[in-house]
Amino acid sequence: MRRILVVGSTGAGKSTLAHELGERLGVPYHELDALHFTGPGWAQDPDFAARVAEIAATPAWVLDSYGTPDVRPLLWERADTVVWLDYPRHVVMPRVLRRSLRRTVLRERIFNGNRETLTEWFRGDHPARWAWSQYAPRRAALTALTTDPALAPLHTLRFTAPREARRWLRTIEAGRGERRKGPAG
């Protein structure tokens, strides 16, 4: 495990798990949204695809997304492992709602100075609305990608509950990139 994609629905906890996994493996973690949104007003980096290609060309990385259409094929070709947080909608929706509410009320800065605002809650691309509307299509796309024979060498770890992912993460030796001996528990 040296080039890892952590994928799943909005609100599944991809960034949190990817960050911890990167630390435990001693592998650089890159937050794809932070690379994509480069300034206030949700400005998008015109060099986003090139920046992601540079990261993907390195020997080791952890990224927390299945990628935008312009970088997705590259990431899936270069990854050696996919960690899929395939949690039910009733798990991810409360998470994304709590996160967005906290970010809005506390005016937390995210992704290079951007903030979630009350008016954004009424937009179709607000994280809560996006999580709801994209849940089934994202799940179908991930099912197709993780079962694609062309990507057969790609090792996929699929977790259907947060406790499964936490249990697995505990088996990764902190800072060493090795699994601990003995059963995962």
Side-chain angles (χ1 to χ4, degrees), residues 8-61:
S9 173
T10 299
K14 298 180 299 293
S15 298
T16 301
L17 187 129
H19 183 264
E20 177 68 19
L21 184 58
E23 284 187 358
R24 287 178 173 268
L25 293 173
V27 170
Y29 159 66
H30 304 276
E31 187 174 18
L32 213 57
D33 282 340
L35 294 169
H36 192 225
F37 299 109
T38 59
W42 302 99
Q44 296 180 15
D45 183 353
D47 298 322
F48 171 69
R51 290 178 66 202
V52 171
E54 287 175 15
I55 292 166
T58 64
W61 42 262

Side-chain angles (χ1 to χ4, degrees), residues 113-135:
N114 290 290
R115 292 186 169 118
E116 287 187 39
T117 65
L118 184 58
T119 56
E120 288 173 350
W121 279 74
F122 300 100
R123 292 180 21 189
D125 63 350
H126 183 270
R129 294 175 75 137
W130 184 259
W132 184 263
S133 68
Q134 294 302 306
Y135 180 84

